[in-house]
């Protein structure tokens, strides 16, 4: 055990984690020849296309140090705030972390947030300054920032470059020297922590685990503590580029288990595996539940695909434990699911993965957050969907979730960012100068305001330099109203939103204008209205497609023309009564992107 090191790589998005992981794999000769490509560990097409890591990936390397062979278990983690749950799980399975900071960008919001997460778990932190080969690198300034943040010595910071391979051997030596070996007793009852799982259509569910105590052999009878199900360990092994089967694994190791599990409900990330004959006294603690931030309805385009969609989401949930879902129905869209996501990028990725991996075409409704509604009877109802809101006359008050947001930016953009945050009902908590011309703005803001487009706007006004991170900060009472969109007097429940009273008029007006462009013209006038309760606050009309019925009537008395027009008017009126207006799928998506 003394020769095992478990560590993960943490950093802000785009600071070069995956590139540095590639170099570590290359220099330890874990991956050679044609397998060596950029972003080796990112095995999803989506990750390569977007150049981001979505899943954390575990892999084992061997390294010779002073004549001794060491086993290094590396977990490469995502950097985007929407996938921070992946990071928290990886940290739970490690004893140390490489904190990577880009030498040209310095410390950013997610760097700090991931660092605190690692420190809470008492991980040994090795600071690495990456990309020092860039012409825009500022090694001395960034070193000052790291020393301020960590309180470490300057000589502890390793200068490296994932592109040229400089400093990679120093990193490998530092991992062996500074990170403690895992503690555990190979002879104690078995205790393994499941930190990830993946669905394989041929072999069932494969669970990845870290052994805290005990030893597991191939063919053992094991039990999952939370679900109390028993299985035979058909195959256990370690994670190389492909899975490599082993006869036995003992404490401190990271590996996988295949036991022919077919139903996804039986594997829970964070669960403990133990032996049936000699179980451990208690499950492993310290694993946090995921808190979804954004809720949206996901509906199959064809209602008959409902059960297929359920199966697809369940399989996807195995691979992404931060996705939560429950069944719901809507008047406009039929049966579907209410899904909880960690953010807008997460929602987009899930939609894309459903399409690519499971061929599911889905409609996603307007994203919203969870509200607490207190009725006059003194009851408290959780509302995830505007259609679940009780009648306004029964509501005492509504509370909405707030977040504590931290924005790190250079001083040039403070004015524009403050204007943006105030426009989103933000309240400034404090303003700290991190170093030189970098400033951290801390705001309390309603989560509902940042769900849509806050992050995109922040990036565009700061020319991509501002970084953003947030965590939940309780519920507060707010003056919220339900905004309905009516087409010919019929409410379209997929377009209803809960919004603050002050924003309702402008939002309603913009939604009506957008829909006017998107809804195809009918044979009759279509009225698009935005309403709060029974009060209409905005209206647009899609004009009817007209047929010239008076063309054949030339000359003669005006009454002949009038007779034809009256006849047409009656027909239009009848058509309007029985005609329905289809809202195209594109309209749902465009309304989400109101700028």
């Amino acid at each position: 055990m003394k020769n095992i090191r478990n560590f993960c790589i943490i950093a802000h998005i785009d600071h070069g984690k995956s590139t540095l992981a590639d170099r570590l794999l290359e220099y330890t000769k874990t991956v050679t020849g044609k397998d060596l490509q950029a972003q080796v560990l990112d095995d999803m097409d989506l990750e390569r296309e977007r150049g981001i890591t979505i899943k954390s990936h575990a892999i084992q390397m061997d390294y010779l140090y002073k004549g001794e062979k060491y086993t290094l278990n590396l977990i490469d983690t995502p950097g985007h705030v929407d996938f921070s749950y992946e990071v928290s799980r990886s940290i739970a399975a490690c004893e140390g972390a490489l904190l990577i900071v880009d030498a040209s960008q310095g410390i950013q919001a997610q760097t700090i947030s991931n660092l605190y997460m690692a420190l809470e778990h008492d991980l040994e932190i090795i600071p690495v300054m990456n990309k020092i080969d860039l012409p825009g690198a500022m090694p001395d300034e960034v070193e000052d920032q790291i020393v301020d943040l960590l309180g470490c010595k300057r000589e502890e910071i390793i200068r490296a470059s994932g592109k040229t391979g400089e400093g990679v051997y120093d990193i490998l030596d530092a991992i062996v020297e500074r990170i403690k070996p895992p503690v555990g007793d190979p002879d104690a009852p078995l205790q393994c922590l499941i930190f990830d799982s993946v669905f394989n259509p041929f072999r069932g569910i494969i669970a990845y685990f870290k052994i805290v105590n005990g030893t597991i052999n191939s063919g053992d009878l094991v039990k999952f503590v939370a679900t109390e199900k028993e299985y035979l360990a058909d195959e256990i092994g370690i994670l190389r580029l492909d899975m490599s089967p082993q006869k036995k694994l003992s404490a401190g190791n990271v590996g996988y288990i295949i036991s022919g599990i077919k139903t996804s409900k039986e594997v829970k990330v964070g669960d403990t595996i133990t032996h049936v004959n000699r179980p451990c006294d208690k499950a492993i603690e310290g694993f946090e539940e995921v808190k979804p931030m954004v809720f949206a309805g996901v509906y199959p385009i064809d209602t008959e695909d409902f059960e297929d969609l359920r199966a697809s989401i369940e399989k996807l949930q195995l691979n992404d434990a931060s996705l939560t879902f429950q069944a719901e129905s809507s008047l406009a869209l039929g049966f579907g699911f209410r899904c909880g996501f960690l953010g807008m990028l997460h929602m987009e990725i899930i939609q894309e993965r459903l399409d690519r991996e499971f061929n599911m075409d889905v409609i996603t409704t307007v994203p919203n957050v969870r509200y607490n509604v207190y009725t006059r009877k003194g009851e408290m109802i959780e509302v995830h969907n505007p259609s679940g809101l009780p009648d306004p006359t029964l509501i005492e008050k509504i509370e909405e979730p707030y977040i504590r947001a931290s924005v790190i930016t250079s001083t040039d953009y403070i004015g524009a960012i403050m204007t943006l945050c105030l426009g989103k009902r933000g309240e400034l908590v404090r303003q700290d100068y991190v170093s030189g011309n970098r400033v951290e703005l801390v705001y309390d803001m309603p989560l509902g305001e940042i769900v849509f487009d806050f992050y995109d706007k922040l990036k565009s006004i700061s020319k991509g330099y501002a970084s953003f991170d947030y965590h939940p900060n309780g519920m507060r009472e707010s003056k919220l109203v339900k905004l309905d969109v009516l087409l010919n007097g019929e409410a379209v429940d997929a377009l209803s939103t809960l919004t603050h009273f002050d924003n309702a008029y402008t939002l309603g007006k913009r939604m009506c204008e957008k829909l006017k462009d998107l809804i195809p013209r009918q044979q009759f006038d279509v009225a698009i209205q935005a309403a709060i309760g029974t009060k209409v606050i905005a209206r647009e009309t899609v004009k009817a497609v007209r047929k010239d019925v008076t063309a054949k009537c030339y000359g003669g008395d005006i009454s002949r023309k009038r007779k034809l027009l009256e006849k047409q008017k009656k027909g239009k009126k009848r058509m309007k009564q029985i005609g329905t207006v289809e809202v195209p799928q594109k309209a749902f998506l465009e309304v989400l992107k109101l700028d």
Side-chain angles (χ1 to χ4, degrees):
M1 258 179 79
K2 68 178 196 331
N3 286 13
I4 297 177
R5 300 286 184 272
N6 298 321
F7 69 100
C8 57
I9 299 186
I10 54 176
H12 190 82
I13 190 167
D14 206 22
H15 279 207
K17 292 179 296 301
S18 299
T19 314
L20 203 60
D22 291 351
R23 289 295 82 73
L24 293 173
L25 294 174
E26 181 188 349
Y27 282 35
T28 54
K29 307 211 168 29
T30 309
V31 180
T32 51
K34 68 176 192 308
D35 291 333
L36 199 62
Q37 48 175 351
Q39 288 175 268
V40 176
L41 295 176
D42 292 352
D43 47 13
M44 246 186 271
D45 294 343
L46 206 56
E47 292 179 309
R48 295 182 171 283
E49 281 167 28
R50 292 179 176 237
I52 58 175
T53 304
I54 293 167
K55 287 284 304 161
S56 51
H57 298 275
I59 191 165
Q60 194 174 88
M61 311 181 282
D62 293 327
Y63 181 56
L64 268 175
Y65 176 69
K66 294 188 177 166
E68 270 195 81
K69 188 172 136 189
Y70 286 85
T71 301
L72 312 180
N73 289 312
L74 148 75
I75 304 180
D76 178 25
T77 65
H80 196 282
V81 61
D82 279 12
F83 306 113
S84 54
Y85 186 63
E86 288 281 330
V87 182
S88 76
R89 285 163 35 190
S90 307
I91 285 174
C94 290
E95 280 83 36
L98 295 182
L99 179 75
I100 294 186
V101 181
D102 186 330
S104 61
Q105 296 186 50
I107 283 170
Q108 293 188 290
Q110 204 55 32
T111 316
I112 296 175
S113 145
N114 287 342
L115 171 69
Y116 286 153
M117 220 188 292
L119 290 173
E120 273 171 30
H121 284 79
D122 289 339
L123 264 60
E124 178 64 41
I125 308 288
I126 301 178
V128 176
M129 186 162 45
N130 195 16
K131 303 193 187 181
I132 57 161
D133 58 310
L134 286 183
M138 316 170 289
D140 299 332
E141 288 176 37
V142 175
E143 245 178 30
D144 291 341
Q145 291 177 20
I146 297 175
V147 170
D148 283 352
L149 180 69
L150 278 175
C152 60
K153 299 189 182 72
R154 269 179 180 279
E155 53 272 20
E156 288 176 13
I157 301 170
I158 301 171
R159 295 189 175 194
S161 161
K163 196 169 174 187
T164 62
E166 185 183 334
V168 172
Y169 283 120
D170 298 343
I171 294 175
L172 287 163
D173 293 347
I175 290 166
V176 175
E177 288 163 10
R178 299 192 211 170
I179 294 176
K180 300 182 199 72
V183 281
D185 179 0
D187 303 321
L190 180 69
Q191 256 190 331
C192 308
L193 172 76
I194 299 180
F195 65 88
D196 205 354
S197 56
V198 50
F199 181 79
N200 181 318
F202 304 107
R203 311 207 57 182
I205 291 156
I206 303 169
Y208 298 158
F209 60 80
K210 179 200 177 184
I211 307 177
V212 178
N213 285 314
T215 305
I216 183 171
N217 295 296
S218 179
D220 282 358
L221 196 61
V222 294
K223 179 172 94 168
F224 286 35
V225 176
T227 54
E228 296 193 340
K229 294 270 204 268
E230 297 178 4
Y231 306 101
L232 198 67
D234 293 341
E235 184 185 305
I236 57 168
I238 54 172
L239 298 154
R240 292 284 165 133
L241 242 196
D242 298 314
M243 295 185 292
S244 134
Q246 304 284 322
K247 284 274 177 281
K248 92 179 207 186
L249 290 171
S250 58
N253 246 312
V254 174
Y256 69 89
I257 177 169
I258 300 177
S259 47
I261 308 170
K262 290 286 183 284
T263 47
S264 48
K265 290 189 186 70
E266 294 175 23
V267 177
K268 290 210 167 26
V269 167
D271 195 358
T272 306
I273 307 176
T274 187
H275 278 132
V276 174
N277 308 334
R278 192 175 160 219
C280 55
D281 338 333
K282 58 180 198 298
I284 300 165
E285 291 171 4
F287 209 86
E288 54 192 71
E289 275 295 306
V290 58
K291 292 191 278 291
M293 292 284 182
V294 176
F295 294 89
V298 173
Y299 292 87
I301 285 183
D302 195 345
T303 31
E304 290 161 9
D305 296 340
F306 175 70
E307 282 306 325
D308 294 348
L309 181 61
R310 182 198 294 275
S312 306
I313 293 182
E314 278 178 1
K315 286 172 189 169
L316 199 53
Q317 193 184 28
L318 275 175
N319 199 241
D320 183 349
S322 51
L323 170 68
T324 57
F325 69 96
Q326 63 196 63
E328 69 162 9
S329 62
S330 138
L331 293 172
L333 302 166
F335 290 103
F337 295 96
R338 184 115 209 107
C339 295
F341 305 97
L342 295 182
M344 290 297 276
L345 177 69
H346 187 208
M347 176 173 139
E348 207 177 302
I349 296 288
I350 292 288
Q351 212 175 333
E352 188 87 3
R353 284 183 71 180
L354 280 172
D355 181 30
R356 289 188 184 201
E357 294 170 30
F358 304 100
N359 286 333
M360 295 302 309
D361 282 340
V362 293
I363 296 176
T364 313
T365 62
V366 179
N368 47 40
V369 296
R370 187 197 67 177
Y371 297 96
N372 290 348
V373 178
Y374 292 87
T375 62
R376 294 192 187 278
K377 291 180 184 169
E379 300 168 335
M380 196 275 280
I381 307 168
E382 273 193 15
V383 175
H384 296 275
N385 192 343
S387 60
L389 201 67
D391 193 82
T393 53
L394 306 174
I395 297 173
E396 180 73 39
K397 61 173 183 179
I398 303 179
E399 288 183 343
E400 64 174 336
Y402 263 68
I403 56 159
R404 175 66 56 93
S406 140
V407 178
I408 295 183
T409 174
S410 65
T411 44
D412 315 349
Y413 308 115
I414 289 184
I417 289 173
M418 283 186 157
T419 311
L420 173 70
C421 293
L422 290 171
K424 298 280 185 190
R425 297 191 282 138
E427 298 162 15
L428 183 64
V429 179
R430 62 172 194 273
Q431 177 177 343
D432 300 326
Y433 283 84
V434 184
S435 68
N437 68 338
R438 293 166 70 73
V439 64
E440 180 182 24
L441 302 170
V442 179
Y443 272 91
D444 278 346
M445 295 164 81
L447 180 62
E449 292 282 342
I450 67 155
V451 162
F452 280 122
D453 52 2
F454 178 78
Y455 194 63
D456 299 342
K457 283 188 176 167
L458 181 70
K459 281 290 181 204
S460 54
I461 59 178
S462 66
K463 301 193 171 58
Y465 276 112
S467 59
F468 172 66
D469 181 46
Y470 61 86
H471 57 262
N473 192 25
M475 309 287 282
R476 292 197 201 174
E477 190 179 336
S478 280
K479 194 177 179 189
L480 297 168
V481 290
K482 180 182 172 192
L483 183 70
D484 284 316
V485 174
L486 311 175
L487 292 182
N488 277 346
E490 294 276 325
V492 182
D493 67 343
L495 291 174
S496 328
T497 49
L498 273 175
T499 180
H500 194 265
F501 183 76
D502 299 345
N503 304 343
Y505 173 70
T506 45
L507 180 69
K509 193 167 184 304
R510 281 183 8 224
M511 279 171 98
C512 289
E513 285 166 0
K514 193 87 178 187
L515 284 168
K516 184 185 177 183
D517 301 339
L518 294 167
I519 289 178
R521 290 173 72 182
Q522 311 286 338
Q523 297 267 314
F524 49 89
D525 282 1
V526 178
I528 304 168
Q529 294 164 311
I532 297 172
T534 51
K535 184 181 174 194
V536 174
I537 55 170
R539 171 180 169 137
E540 293 287 335
T541 310
V542 179
K543 281 292 181 201
V545 183
R546 304 220 23 171
K547 180 181 167 195
D548 193 355
V549 287
T550 57
K552 61 185 181 194
C553 182
Y554 45 92
D557 194 54
I558 184 69
S559 58
R560 288 178 62 196
K561 267 189 183 172
R562 199 165 289 144
K563 187 176 164 190
L564 288 170
L565 287 169
E566 282 298 323
K567 193 174 162 191
Q568 185 190 27
K569 196 167 158 188
K570 273 186 195 153
K572 293 267 185 211
K573 193 174 170 186
R574 196 164 58 245
M575 198 186 285
K576 189 171 182 174
Q577 281 167 358
I578 57 165
T580 53
V581 184
E582 285 291 315
V583 184
Q585 159 69 10
K586 190 177 158 205
F588 288 112
L589 297 175
E590 286 299 320
V591 170
L592 302 189
K593 293 181 187 157
L594 285 176
D595 39 271

